[in-house]
Amino acid sequence: MQLLDTRVPAVLLRIDRNFFHHGTLGAVRSLGRAGVEVHVVADSTASPVARSRFLREMHPPPPPGSSPREIAAALRRVATRIRRPAVLVPMDDASAVAVGRMREELAPSYLLPSPGTLPERAADKADLAALCASLDIAHPVTLVPDSPAEAAEATWRLGLPLVAKWSRPWLVPAGSTLRSTVLVNSARQARELYLRTEEAGSALLLQAYLPPGPNRDWFFHGYADRSGAVRAGGTGRKQQAWPRGAGLTAVGCWTANPQVQALAERLTGELGYRGILDLDFRRCGATGLYHLLDFNPRPGAQFRLFSDSAGLDVVRALHLDLTQRPLQAAAPLLGRSFVVENYAPLAALRPAPRGRELAWHATDDPAPGRAMWSLWCRHVSRRLRERLRAVRSAPESARGAHQAAAHPLIDDEKASSC
């Protein structure tokens, strides 16, 4: 068991509004079980996270659309209340980018990773595409159109369907109908997306689509310490996604993959990155190459999958490193699984001979799991009512297509990135 410095509290920051962000609960439990005082700055007062016995206090977040300086001001208010330096853990891209920009201003009150590549460079999807090209790391062919006509033309050059992304998805306004990632099926759809560039706040990227398939989706979680060495974490295989084929990890398995591990460590070293990272890969069925899809400069929602034989995960590694404590190597628990119960309920009931972590349920912290199911049932009922109203109000000729296209339980709102 890794012994954390329990004199040093931790503050988890999440700007993204998402009641069902199980990664935040995982971080609360990971640090709280080790005896660390845990504070959360997020819009989660009605979230299951607020019910955890391992949470010391919830703090109000900065309002939507806040600047990095306003976010830093909110964090300083929390620091004043805590009255001693704390380890700061950004839990989403917007938080990581804001903390990276305001590092010097926050450093007196918070313990932060050594200066390195700004999280903003790693999270910016246009920068990532250019970086992969310079390092000869496989990445989906990416075009950045300069006009609606170029966006339409890209559908012919890349083929349909293709993937549309906003370069800086954390800038998409809260409550917008825009999504960070969309599957594009026509030139008209690509052109219409481009016309919303100003609203999105960053450039539109159009990428070649790599079809999903068995054993094609992989992820890597790790912590780059003060020396740049990648510690903790490991490689995982996405066995089930929500929504299917292109969503977050609903079921994942800790699976050794030396190729993905080597790619992640090479990229981290070339970047000079420090801190927690979460990378997403997809293997091309034609070439067998692993394409890097995303670099997330913060914990992935399923980071608790990679809790080794000594209980070390990337969040604990961060706390240990920033409090000058050793990170001792331990055996990986290959074959261990992670299941998000509300997205994969049947998988949560199957036997798990090599161990399993559930996103919400825990015998030593049952209240968040109960609260999640209550919220989830209300959420699904609301979505069903909205879909039924949409079908009833649609012209009769369009009803069949609408019913065929819409899965009644899939929430097309932005959930959590992973």
Side-chain angles (χ1 to χ4, degrees):
M1 177 70 177
Q2 307 278 351
L3 295 178
L4 279 69
D5 188 341
T6 57
R7 298 169 299 176
V8 180
V11 173
L12 312 182
L13 171 65
R14 199 185 77 248
I15 296 171
D16 175 36
R17 269 55 176 165
N18 180 8
F19 284 168
F20 300 108
H21 191 268
H22 49 273
T24 303
L25 177 61
V28 168
R29 285 172 170 167
S30 177
L31 294 169
R33 285 170 177 149
V36 173
E37 179 183 309
V38 184
H39 297 255
V40 172
V41 182
D43 186 19
S44 298
T45 52
S47 164
V49 174
R51 308 292 182 88
S52 175
R53 61 186 287 261
F54 297 110
L55 175 67
R56 173 61 65 91
E57 188 174 353
M58 294 288 300
H59 300 267
S66 294
S67 68
R69 190 165 298 280
E70 291 168 328
I71 293 167
L75 287 171
R76 287 197 304 274
R77 288 193 291 271
V78 174
T80 299
R81 184 174 178 85
I82 296 174
R83 294 188 295 181
R84 59 195 190 279
V87 170
L88 181 58
V89 189
M91 296 301 301
D92 60 6
D93 290 349
S95 301
V97 169
V99 170
R101 286 189 185 180
M102 305 304 296
R103 187 183 192 284
E104 291 187 8
E105 188 172 339
L106 292 169
S109 302
Y110 291 98
L111 305 181
L112 300 166
S114 302
T117 295
L118 287 176
E120 187 168 356
R121 185 186 177 203
D124 187 303
K125 299 182 187 305
D127 285 353
L128 182 65
L131 179 67
C132 287
S134 68
L135 299 177
D136 196 27
I137 291 176
H139 185 74
V141 177
T142 301
L143 300 176
V144 184
D146 287 329
S147 67
E150 282 192 16
E153 182 186 353
T155 63
W156 298 100
R157 295 175 61 184
L158 297 175
L160 292 172
L162 57 79
V163 176
K165 297 179 177 180
W166 300 108
S167 177
R168 300 184 173 193
W170 62 89
L171 296 179
V172 173
S176 168
T177 58
L178 290 170
R179 301 291 173 257
S180 60
T181 303
V182 176
L183 196 63
V184 172
N185 292 293
S186 69
R188 177 181 177 181
Q189 186 182 2
R191 186 167 51 246
E192 290 175 348
L193 275 173
Y194 181 87
L195 292 173
R196 301 184 70 180
T197 297
E198 184 176 353
E199 178 187 355
S202 65
L204 176 69
L205 276 65
L206 299 176
Q207 290 184 342
Y209 177 64
L210 295 176
N215 300 325
R216 290 188 185 178
D217 287 323
W218 293 78
F219 48 87
F220 175 87
H221 293 195
Y223 173 71
D225 67 13
R226 285 166 287 166
S227 70
V230 179
R231 315 289 292 276
T235 56
R237 180 166 53 91
K238 186 184 292 188
Q239 297 174 305
Q240 190 172 327
W242 180 273
R244 294 176 185 173
L248 58 82
T249 299
V251 182
C253 180
W254 192 342
T255 308
N257 189 322
Q259 288 178 269
V260 169
Q261 180 96 20
L263 285 170
E265 292 180 354
R266 180 159 73 91
L267 178 63
T268 304
E270 294 283 354
L271 269 174
Y273 180 81
R274 301 290 185 270
I276 298 174
L277 60 143
D278 163 29
L279 310 182
D280 292 320
F281 294 86
R282 177 166 286 180
R283 182 173 59 82
C284 176
T287 66
L289 293 175
Y290 290 92
H291 290 244
L292 178 65
L293 303 182
D294 283 309
F295 188 122
N296 302 303
R298 40 76 181 170
Q302 73 274 26
F303 80 91
R304 281 291 300 162
L305 169 64
F306 302 109
S307 178
D308 66 18
S309 60
L312 183 68
D313 58 38
V314 295
V315 170
R316 288 187 178 185
L318 171 73
H319 196 284
L320 287 164
D321 189 45
L322 297 186
T323 55
Q324 312 297 314
R325 298 228 167 180
L327 278 71
Q328 299 176 351
L333 302 180
L334 298 176
R336 189 170 189 262
S337 64
F338 182 89
V339 178
V340 186
E341 305 95 300
N342 51 317
Y343 300 139
L346 295 180
L349 300 175
R350 298 189 189 110
R354 297 190 179 182
R356 174 172 54 211
E357 175 105 1
L358 297 177
W360 296 104
H361 177 72
T363 54
D364 63 344
D365 191 28
R370 292 195 295 264
M372 181 278 294
W373 282 118
S374 176
L375 280 171
W376 184 250
C377 289
R378 292 202 296 270
H379 171 75
V380 171
S381 297
R382 177 178 61 83
R383 297 297 291 168
L384 283 170
R385 290 195 299 271
E386 290 173 354
R387 292 287 168 87
L388 287 172
R389 282 197 295 269
V391 169
R392 288 170 181 164
S393 62
E396 187 172 348
S397 60
R399 289 181 186 176
H402 180 88
Q403 290 170 332
H407 189 298
L409 298 185
I410 290 180
D411 182 4
D412 54 9
E413 295 175 358
K414 182 175 141 187
S416 57
S417 303
C418 59

PDB file of all heavy atoms in Angstrom, residues 293-322:
ATOM      1  N   LEU A 293      -5.972   9.106 -31.392  1.00  0.00           N
ATOM      2  CA  LEU A 293      -7.175   9.902 -31.628  1.00  0.00           C
ATOM      3  C   LEU A 293      -7.237  11.128 -30.734  1.00  0.00           C
ATOM      4  O   LEU A 293      -7.641  12.202 -31.169  1.00  0.00           O
ATOM      5  CB  LEU A 293      -8.435   9.047 -31.403  1.00  0.00           C
ATOM      6  CG  LEU A 293      -8.566   7.779 -32.243  1.00  0.00           C
ATOM      7  CD1 LEU A 293      -9.897   7.104 -31.928  1.00  0.00           C
ATOM      8  CD2 LEU A 293      -8.454   8.084 -33.726  1.00  0.00           C
ATOM      9  N   ASP A 294      -6.856  10.991 -29.464  1.00  0.00           N
ATOM     10  CA  ASP A 294      -6.975  12.095 -28.513  1.00  0.00           C
ATOM     11  C   ASP A 294      -5.881  12.028 -27.470  1.00  0.00           C
ATOM     12  O   ASP A 294      -5.456  10.939 -27.051  1.00  0.00           O
ATOM     13  CB  ASP A 294      -8.328  12.064 -27.794  1.00  0.00           C
ATOM     14  CG  ASP A 294      -9.466  12.575 -28.661  1.00  0.00           C
ATOM     15  OD1 ASP A 294      -9.330  13.679 -29.226  1.00  0.00           O
ATOM     16  OD2 ASP A 294     -10.475  11.872 -28.778  1.00  0.00           O
ATOM     17  N   PHE A 295      -5.434  13.211 -27.035  1.00  0.00           N
ATOM     18  CA  PHE A 295      -4.524  13.353 -25.901  1.00  0.00           C
ATOM     19  C   PHE A 295      -5.262  14.201 -24.880  1.00  0.00           C
ATOM     20  O   PHE A 295      -5.510  15.389 -25.102  1.00  0.00           O
ATOM     21  CB  PHE A 295      -3.233  14.048 -26.346  1.00  0.00           C
ATOM     22  CG  PHE A 295      -2.142  14.083 -25.291  1.00  0.00           C
ATOM     23  CD1 PHE A 295      -0.907  13.524 -25.545  1.00  0.00           C
ATOM     24  CD2 PHE A 295      -2.352  14.683 -24.058  1.00  0.00           C
ATOM     25  CE1 PHE A 295       0.104  13.558 -24.594  1.00  0.00           C
ATOM     26  CE2 PHE A 295      -1.357  14.727 -23.090  1.00  0.00           C
ATOM     27  CZ  PHE A 295      -0.118  14.163 -23.371  1.00  0.00           C
ATOM     28  N   ASN A 296      -5.622  13.597 -23.753  1.00  0.00           N
ATOM     29  CA  ASN A 296      -6.350  14.311 -22.706  1.00  0.00           C
ATOM     30  C   ASN A 296      -5.411  14.575 -21.530  1.00  0.00           C
ATOM     31  O   ASN A 296      -4.939  13.625 -20.895  1.00  0.00           O
ATOM     32  CB  ASN A 296      -7.552  13.481 -22.238  1.00  0.00           C
ATOM     33  CG  ASN A 296      -8.487  13.153 -23.385  1.00  0.00           C
ATOM     34  OD1 ASN A 296      -8.977  14.045 -24.063  1.00  0.00           O
ATOM     35  ND2 ASN A 296      -8.727  11.873 -23.626  1.00  0.00           N
ATOM     36  N   PRO A 297      -5.140  15.841 -21.209  1.00  0.00           N
ATOM     37  CA  PRO A 297      -4.175  16.165 -20.155  1.00  0.00           C
ATOM     38  C   PRO A 297      -4.782  16.150 -18.756  1.00  0.00           C
ATOM     39  O   PRO A 297      -4.667  17.105 -17.986  1.00  0.00           O
ATOM     40  CB  PRO A 297      -3.723  17.580 -20.555  1.00  0.00           C
ATOM     41  CG  PRO A 297      -4.940  18.177 -21.182  1.00  0.00           C
ATOM     42  CD  PRO A 297      -5.633  17.052 -21.895  1.00  0.00           C
ATOM     43  N   ARG A 298      -5.413  15.023 -18.414  1.00  0.00           N
ATOM     44  CA  ARG A 298      -6.069  14.881 -17.111  1.00  0.00           C
ATOM     45  C   ARG A 298      -6.472  13.409 -16.954  1.00  0.00           C
ATOM     46  O   ARG A 298      -6.317  12.612 -17.888  1.00  0.00           O
ATOM     47  CB  ARG A 298      -7.284  15.804 -17.017  1.00  0.00           C
ATOM     48  CG  ARG A 298      -8.136  15.928 -18.278  1.00  0.00           C
ATOM     49  CD  ARG A 298      -9.015  14.759 -18.518  1.00  0.00           C
ATOM     50  NE  ARG A 298      -9.815  14.870 -19.747  1.00  0.00           N
ATOM     51  CZ  ARG A 298     -10.514  13.872 -20.246  1.00  0.00           C
ATOM     52  NH1 ARG A 298     -10.520  12.698 -19.671  1.00  0.00           N
ATOM     53  NH2 ARG A 298     -11.212  14.042 -21.368  1.00  0.00           N
ATOM     54  N   PRO A 299      -7.002  13.011 -15.808  1.00  0.00           N
ATOM     55  CA  PRO A 299      -7.394  11.607 -15.637  1.00  0.00           C
ATOM     56  C   PRO A 299      -8.549  11.237 -16.564  1.00  0.00           C
ATOM     57  O   PRO A 299      -9.495  12.014 -16.724  1.00  0.00           O
ATOM     58  CB  PRO A 299      -7.837  11.529 -14.165  1.00  0.00           C
ATOM     59  CG  PRO A 299      -7.251  12.735 -13.510  1.00  0.00           C
ATOM     60  CD  PRO A 299      -7.182  13.793 -14.572  1.00  0.00           C
ATOM     61  N   GLY A 300      -8.469  10.070 -17.172  1.00  0.00           N
ATOM     62  CA  GLY A 300      -9.614   9.550 -17.907  1.00  0.00           C
ATOM     63  C   GLY A 300     -10.658   9.056 -16.924  1.00  0.00           C
ATOM     64  O   GLY A 300     -10.349   8.693 -15.777  1.00  0.00           O
ATOM     65  N   ALA A 301     -11.907   9.032 -17.347  1.00  0.00           N
ATOM     66  CA  ALA A 301     -12.992   8.667 -16.433  1.00  0.00           C
ATOM     67  C   ALA A 301     -12.830   7.256 -15.877  1.00  0.00           C
ATOM     68  O   ALA A 301     -13.298   6.957 -14.784  1.00  0.00           O
ATOM     69  CB  ALA A 301     -14.340   8.802 -17.140  1.00  0.00           C
ATOM     70  N   GLN A 302     -12.136   6.367 -16.611  1.00  0.00           N
ATOM     71  CA  GLN A 302     -11.970   4.987 -16.168  1.00  0.00           C
ATOM     72  C   GLN A 302     -10.593   4.734 -15.555  1.00  0.00           C
ATOM     73  O   GLN A 302     -10.121   3.602 -15.495  1.00  0.00           O
ATOM     74  CB  GLN A 302     -12.220   4.017 -17.331  1.00  0.00           C
ATOM     75  CG  GLN A 302     -11.120   3.955 -18.386  1.00  0.00           C
ATOM     76  CD  GLN A 302     -11.267   5.014 -19.450  1.00  0.00           C
ATOM     77  OE1 GLN A 302     -11.856   6.063 -19.225  1.00  0.00           O
ATOM     78  NE2 GLN A 302     -10.733   4.756 -20.631  1.00  0.00           N
ATOM     79  N   PHE A 303      -9.937   5.794 -15.038  1.00  0.00           N
ATOM     80  CA  PHE A 303      -8.556   5.646 -14.558  1.00  0.00           C
ATOM     81  C   PHE A 303      -8.431   4.613 -13.441  1.00  0.00           C
ATOM     82  O   PHE A 303      -7.373   4.004 -13.262  1.00  0.00           O
ATOM     83  CB  PHE A 303      -8.012   7.003 -14.084  1.00  0.00           C
ATOM     84  CG  PHE A 303      -8.451   7.408 -12.699  1.00  0.00           C
ATOM     85  CD1 PHE A 303      -7.682   7.075 -11.588  1.00  0.00           C
ATOM     86  CD2 PHE A 303      -9.621   8.124 -12.506  1.00  0.00           C
ATOM     87  CE1 PHE A 303      -8.087   7.436 -10.310  1.00  0.00           C
ATOM     88  CE2 PHE A 303     -10.020   8.495 -11.243  1.00  0.00           C
ATOM     89  CZ  PHE A 303      -9.264   8.151 -10.128  1.00  0.00           C
ATOM     90  N   ARG A 304      -9.507   4.361 -12.690  1.00  0.00           N
ATOM     91  CA  ARG A 304      -9.433   3.417 -11.585  1.00  0.00           C
ATOM     92  C   ARG A 304      -9.249   1.974 -12.061  1.00  0.00           C
ATOM     93  O   ARG A 304      -8.939   1.094 -11.252  1.00  0.00           O
ATOM     94  CB  ARG A 304     -10.678   3.531 -10.716  1.00  0.00           C
ATOM     95  CG  ARG A 304     -10.656   4.719  -9.759  1.00  0.00           C
ATOM     96  CD  ARG A 304      -9.633   4.546  -8.663  1.00  0.00           C
ATOM     97  NE  ARG A 304      -9.891   3.356  -7.857  1.00  0.00           N
ATOM     98  CZ  ARG A 304      -9.012   2.782  -7.071  1.00  0.00           C
ATOM     99  NH1 ARG A 304      -7.778   3.252  -6.985  1.00  0.00           N
ATOM    100  NH2 ARG A 304      -9.334   1.711  -6.365  1.00  0.00           N
ATOM    101  N   LEU A 305      -9.421   1.719 -13.342  1.00  0.00           N
ATOM    102  CA  LEU A 305      -9.093   0.397 -13.876  1.00  0.00           C
ATOM    103  C   LEU A 305      -7.655   0.036 -13.527  1.00  0.00           C
ATOM    104  O   LEU A 305      -7.344  -1.104 -13.194  1.00  0.00           O
ATOM    105  CB  LEU A 305      -9.282   0.391 -15.400  1.00  0.00           C
ATOM    106  CG  LEU A 305      -8.737  -0.821 -16.161  1.00  0.00           C
ATOM    107  CD1 LEU A 305      -9.476  -2.088 -15.762  1.00  0.00           C
ATOM    108  CD2 LEU A 305      -8.856  -0.594 -17.672  1.00  0.00           C
ATOM    109  N   PHE A 306      -6.762   1.034 -13.610  1.00  0.00           N
ATOM    110  CA  PHE A 306      -5.337   0.802 -13.435  1.00  0.00           C
ATOM    111  C   PHE A 306      -4.904   1.039 -11.989  1.00  0.00           C
ATOM    112  O   PHE A 306      -4.035   1.869 -11.710  1.00  0.00           O
ATOM    113  CB  PHE A 306      -4.548   1.694 -14.388  1.00  0.00           C
ATOM    114  CG  PHE A 306      -4.908   1.488 -15.833  1.00  0.00           C
ATOM    115  CD1 PHE A 306      -5.614   2.455 -16.528  1.00  0.00           C
ATOM    116  CD2 PHE A 306      -4.562   0.320 -16.496  1.00  0.00           C
ATOM    117  CE1 PHE A 306      -5.957   2.272 -17.857  1.00  0.00           C
ATOM    118  CE2 PHE A 306      -4.906   0.123 -17.826  1.00  0.00           C
ATOM    119  CZ  PHE A 306      -5.608   1.099 -18.506  1.00  0.00           C
ATOM    120  N   SER A 307      -5.514   0.325 -11.068  1.00  0.00           N
ATOM    121  CA  SER A 307      -5.081   0.323  -9.679  1.00  0.00           C
ATOM    122  C   SER A 307      -4.293  -0.962  -9.469  1.00  0.00           C
ATOM    123  O   SER A 307      -4.845  -2.062  -9.553  1.00  0.00           O
ATOM    124  CB  SER A 307      -6.295   0.378  -8.744  1.00  0.00           C
ATOM    125  OG  SER A 307      -5.901   0.329  -7.394  1.00  0.00           O
ATOM    126  N   ASP A 308      -2.976  -0.835  -9.239  1.00  0.00           N
ATOM    127  CA  ASP A 308      -2.111  -2.017  -9.241  1.00  0.00           C
ATOM    128  C   ASP A 308      -2.150  -2.755  -7.902  1.00  0.00           C
ATOM    129  O   ASP A 308      -2.966  -2.455  -7.025  1.00  0.00           O
ATOM    130  CB  ASP A 308      -0.684  -1.630  -9.645  1.00  0.00           C
ATOM    131  CG  ASP A 308       0.012  -0.727  -8.634  1.00  0.00           C
ATOM    132  OD1 ASP A 308      -0.430  -0.657  -7.464  1.00  0.00           O
ATOM    133  OD2 ASP A 308       1.008  -0.082  -9.011  1.00  0.00           O
ATOM    134  N   SER A 309      -1.252  -3.723  -7.743  1.00  0.00           N
ATOM    135  CA  SER A 309      -1.272  -4.579  -6.553  1.00  0.00           C
ATOM    136  C   SER A 309      -0.962  -3.810  -5.271  1.00  0.00           C
ATOM    137  O   SER A 309      -1.246  -4.292  -4.175  1.00  0.00           O
ATOM    138  CB  SER A 309      -0.280  -5.733  -6.726  1.00  0.00           C
ATOM    139  OG  SER A 309       1.034  -5.232  -6.914  1.00  0.00           O
ATOM    140  N   ALA A 310      -0.369  -2.620  -5.392  1.00  0.00           N
ATOM    141  CA  ALA A 310      -0.104  -1.774  -4.221  1.00  0.00           C
ATOM    142  C   ALA A 310      -1.144  -0.672  -4.074  1.00  0.00           C
ATOM    143  O   ALA A 310      -0.993   0.221  -3.237  1.00  0.00           O
ATOM    144  CB  ALA A 310       1.293  -1.159  -4.318  1.00  0.00           C
ATOM    145  N   GLY A 311      -2.179  -0.687  -4.908  1.00  0.00           N
ATOM    146  CA  GLY A 311      -3.227   0.331  -4.833  1.00  0.00           C
ATOM    147  C   GLY A 311      -2.873   1.629  -5.515  1.00  0.00           C
ATOM    148  O   GLY A 311      -3.569   2.636  -5.338  1.00  0.00           O
ATOM    149  N   LEU A 312      -1.792   1.633  -6.325  1.00  0.00           N
ATOM    150  CA  LEU A 312      -1.373   2.870  -6.987  1.00  0.00           C
ATOM    151  C   LEU A 312      -2.159   3.090  -8.271  1.00  0.00           C
ATOM    152  O   LEU A 312      -2.275   2.190  -9.107  1.00  0.00           O
ATOM    153  CB  LEU A 312       0.125   2.810  -7.305  1.00  0.00           C
ATOM    154  CG  LEU A 312       0.720   4.073  -7.943  1.00  0.00           C
ATOM    155  CD1 LEU A 312       0.714   5.227  -6.958  1.00  0.00           C
ATOM    156  CD2 LEU A 312       2.144   3.806  -8.444  1.00  0.00           C
ATOM    157  N   ASP A 313      -2.708   4.282  -8.438  1.00  0.00           N
ATOM    158  CA  ASP A 313      -3.312   4.700  -9.698  1.00  0.00           C
ATOM    159  C   ASP A 313      -2.730   6.073 -10.049  1.00  0.00           C
ATOM    160  O   ASP A 313      -1.876   6.605  -9.319  1.00  0.00           O
ATOM    161  CB  ASP A 313      -4.848   4.739  -9.617  1.00  0.00           C
ATOM    162  CG  ASP A 313      -5.378   5.659  -8.517  1.00  0.00           C
ATOM    163  OD1 ASP A 313      -4.785   6.744  -8.303  1.00  0.00           O
ATOM    164  OD2 ASP A 313      -6.371   5.314  -7.858  1.00  0.00           O
ATOM    165  N   VAL A 314      -3.153   6.670 -11.148  1.00  0.00           N
ATOM    166  CA  VAL A 314      -2.510   7.910 -11.599  1.00  0.00           C
ATOM    167  C   VAL A 314      -2.789   9.088 -10.668  1.00  0.00           C
ATOM    168  O   VAL A 314      -1.956   9.987 -10.520  1.00  0.00           O
ATOM    169  CB  VAL A 314      -2.932   8.254 -13.046  1.00  0.00           C
ATOM    170  CG1 VAL A 314      -2.423   7.191 -14.013  1.00  0.00           C
ATOM    171  CG2 VAL A 314      -4.444   8.419 -13.179  1.00  0.00           C
ATOM    172  N   VAL A 315      -3.944   9.114 -10.028  1.00  0.00           N
ATOM    173  CA  VAL A 315      -4.270  10.213  -9.115  1.00  0.00           C
ATOM    174  C   VAL A 315      -3.419  10.110  -7.851  1.00  0.00           C
ATOM    175  O   VAL A 315      -2.876  11.109  -7.354  1.00  0.00           O
ATOM    176  CB  VAL A 315      -5.776  10.209  -8.797  1.00  0.00           C
ATOM    177  CG1 VAL A 315      -6.098  11.180  -7.671  1.00  0.00           C
ATOM    178  CG2 VAL A 315      -6.579  10.591 -10.038  1.00  0.00           C
ATOM    179  N   ARG A 316      -3.267   8.904  -7.325  1.00  0.00           N
ATOM    180  CA  ARG A 316      -2.394   8.723  -6.171  1.00  0.00           C
ATOM    181  C   ARG A 316      -0.936   9.003  -6.545  1.00  0.00           C
ATOM    182  O   ARG A 316      -0.172   9.553  -5.743  1.00  0.00           O
ATOM    183  CB  ARG A 316      -2.536   7.312  -5.611  1.00  0.00           C
ATOM    184  CG  ARG A 316      -3.850   7.074  -4.887  1.00  0.00           C
ATOM    185  CD  ARG A 316      -3.894   5.727  -4.210  1.00  0.00           C
ATOM    186  NE  ARG A 316      -5.132   5.537  -3.478  1.00  0.00           N
ATOM    187  CZ  ARG A 316      -5.399   4.473  -2.715  1.00  0.00           C
ATOM    188  NH1 ARG A 316      -4.487   3.509  -2.601  1.00  0.00           N
ATOM    189  NH2 ARG A 316      -6.554   4.379  -2.079  1.00  0.00           N
ATOM    190  N   ALA A 317      -0.545   8.619  -7.768  1.00  0.00           N
ATOM    191  CA  ALA A 317       0.824   8.892  -8.215  1.00  0.00           C
ATOM    192  C   ALA A 317       1.095  10.391  -8.225  1.00  0.00           C
ATOM    193  O   ALA A 317       2.170  10.851  -7.814  1.00  0.00           O
ATOM    194  CB  ALA A 317       1.050   8.290  -9.603  1.00  0.00           C
ATOM    195  N   LEU A 318       0.140  11.171  -8.695  1.00  0.00           N
ATOM    196  CA  LEU A 318       0.276  12.630  -8.694  1.00  0.00           C
ATOM    197  C   LEU A 318       0.483  13.154  -7.276  1.00  0.00           C
ATOM    198  O   LEU A 318       1.384  13.960  -7.013  1.00  0.00           O
ATOM    199  CB  LEU A 318      -0.979  13.256  -9.320  1.00  0.00           C
ATOM    200  CG  LEU A 318      -1.117  14.773  -9.215  1.00  0.00           C
ATOM    201  CD1 LEU A 318      -0.139  15.464 -10.146  1.00  0.00           C
ATOM    202  CD2 LEU A 318      -2.551  15.211  -9.536  1.00  0.00           C
ATOM    203  N   HIS A 319      -0.352  12.712  -6.351  1.00  0.00           N
ATOM    204  CA  HIS A 319      -0.253  13.184  -4.970  1.00  0.00           C
ATOM    205  C   HIS A 319       1.093  12.782  -4.362  1.00  0.00           C
ATOM    206  O   HIS A 319       1.757  13.604  -3.695  1.00  0.00           O
ATOM    207  CB  HIS A 319      -1.413  12.618  -4.140  1.00  0.00           C
ATOM    208  CG  HIS A 319      -1.629  13.322  -2.832  1.00  0.00           C
ATOM    209  ND1 HIS A 319      -0.807  13.118  -1.741  1.00  0.00           N
ATOM    210  CD2 HIS A 319      -2.570  14.234  -2.445  1.00  0.00           C
ATOM    211  CE1 HIS A 319      -1.240  13.853  -0.734  1.00  0.00           C
ATOM    212  NE2 HIS A 319      -2.302  14.556  -1.128  1.00  0.00           N
ATOM    213  N   LEU A 320       1.513  11.555  -4.563  1.00  0.00           N
ATOM    214  CA  LEU A 320       2.791  11.095  -4.023  1.00  0.00           C
ATOM    215  C   LEU A 320       3.955  11.920  -4.573  1.00  0.00           C
ATOM    216  O   LEU A 320       4.844  12.349  -3.834  1.00  0.00           O
ATOM    217  CB  LEU A 320       2.999   9.615  -4.361  1.00  0.00           C
ATOM    218  CG  LEU A 320       2.152   8.609  -3.573  1.00  0.00           C
ATOM    219  CD1 LEU A 320       2.159   7.253  -4.278  1.00  0.00           C
ATOM    220  CD2 LEU A 320       2.684   8.460  -2.145  1.00  0.00           C
ATOM    221  N   ASP A 321       3.955  12.127  -5.874  1.00  0.00           N
ATOM    222  CA  ASP A 321       5.068  12.823  -6.520  1.00  0.00           C
ATOM    223  C   ASP A 321       5.145  14.279  -6.064  1.00  0.00           C
ATOM    224  O   ASP A 321       6.233  14.801  -5.790  1.00  0.00           O
ATOM    225  CB  ASP A 321       4.904  12.743  -8.040  1.00  0.00           C
ATOM    226  CG  ASP A 321       6.132  13.240  -8.788  1.00  0.00           C
ATOM    227  OD1 ASP A 321       7.257  12.867  -8.413  1.00  0.00           O
ATOM    228  OD2 ASP A 321       5.964  14.005  -9.758  1.00  0.00           O
ATOM    229  N   LEU A 322       3.992  14.946  -5.974  1.00  0.00           N
ATOM    230  CA  LEU A 322       3.988  16.362  -5.622  1.00  0.00           C
ATOM    231  C   LEU A 322       4.262  16.601  -4.132  1.00  0.00           C
ATOM    232  O   LEU A 322       4.575  17.723  -3.732  1.00  0.00           O
ATOM    233  CB  LEU A 322       2.659  17.006  -6.018  1.00  0.00           C
ATOM    234  CG  LEU A 322       2.351  17.004  -7.518  1.00  0.00           C
ATOM    235  CD1 LEU A 322       1.076  17.793  -7.796  1.00  0.00           C
ATOM    236  CD2 LEU A 322       3.510  17.572  -8.327  1.00  0.00           C
TER     237      LEU A 322
END
